[in-house]
Amino acid sequence: MAHGRVQRMQCWVVVACVVASVSTTASAFVFKAGGTGEWRVPDQQASGNVSAYNQWAEHTRFRVGDAIAFSYQPGNDSVLLVDKSSYDACNTNTPIDTFADGNTVFTFTRSGPYYFISGNKDNCNRNEKLIVVVMGERAANGTAPAPALAPSAGTTSPNSPPSPPPPPSGIEISPTPEQSINAAARPRAAGIAGAAGLAIGTLFYALV
């Protein structure tokens, strides 16, 4: 009898671990740079010498584990991950990392600011550049606090207040965090139910 109770307890521990694992890993989002994913010189200059990309980023929540997608023409452009000084000066000579495949998806592995510029210095000088401020890990239920403001991209006014996001360009727009949360909730719930069902089936099989 004691051996049977221990076996049942072990099976329930497996069920709990599976469900917790599915809940935790299903909440990361992939955002499209600028709202459309297109990585190019912005069509319009935002107010206060702030790039249109940064106006979008200032109103978007980013968490550890999320990712950002850039789409561009290989050979004509690229994405450079740089430090702040290289970002401010559009220095393309000493990047932290370089991406040139035309469809770059970069995952945020830590909190704090990330600085992206075009590999084309002239494009960078024309505000093809982006600062993303990443907060802590996203809660397992997909909720997130109000967005933090990214540092201003203006070279002469680093503390310029955020402006309303520019009209989206392109034909496809990444969902807002609230929409992403609602969209992610359905497959996440299905995944949890499926994993729980599999684990419970394993439990009953072990007890038989």
Side-chain angles (χ1 to χ4, degrees):
M1 292 294 293
H3 176 71
R5 287 196 297 271
V6 171
Q7 187 178 42
R8 286 193 293 272
M9 290 178 62
Q10 290 174 337
C11 290
W12 282 115
V13 169
V14 170
V15 172
C17 290
V18 169
V19 172
S21 175
V22 172
S23 300
T24 301
T25 58
S27 58
F29 300 145
V30 177
F31 295 94
K32 297 177 182 178
T36 66
E38 296 181 357
W39 184 236
R40 55 185 176 83
V41 175
D43 291 331
Q44 298 178 347
Q45 292 296 323
S47 61
N49 198 33
V50 178
S51 79
Y53 286 107
N54 284 336
Q55 282 196 335
W56 165 79
E58 287 171 357
H59 295 83
T60 306
R61 302 180 182 94
F62 299 94
R63 293 282 186 171
V64 173
D66 289 345
I68 186 168
F70 301 85
S71 178
Y72 50 93
Q73 185 65 40
N76 294 332
D77 209 342
S78 59
V79 181
L80 304 185
L81 176 66
V82 298
D83 58 23
K84 185 180 185 304
S85 61
S86 294
Y87 175 92
D88 291 337
C90 281
N91 178 8
T92 61
N93 296 324
T94 57
I96 298 171
D97 210 342
T98 301
F99 309 95
D101 59 359
N103 287 287
T104 298
V105 178
F106 181 89
T107 301
F108 303 114
T109 58
R110 59 165 177 81
S111 60
Y114 289 78
Y115 300 91
F116 300 96
I117 65 173
S118 169
N120 183 317
K121 185 177 179 68
D122 181 62
N123 288 0
C124 178
N125 286 328
R126 295 164 62 193
N127 273 336
E128 188 181 336
K129 56 199 303 189
L130 168 65
I131 303 174
V132 173
V133 175
V134 178
M135 295 179 283
E137 294 185 4
R138 195 178 298 279
N141 61 5
T143 59
L149 297 181
S152 172
T155 56
T156 58
S157 180
N159 295 317
S160 299
S163 302
S169 59
I171 61 174
E172 189 173 9
I173 302 174
S174 63
T176 61
E178 291 78 10
Q179 292 171 330
S180 299
I181 290 168
N182 293 335
R186 291 189 293 272
R188 182 164 64 253
I192 292 173
L198 177 62
I200 292 172
T202 303
L203 167 65
F204 283 111
Y205 179 80
L207 293 178
V208 174

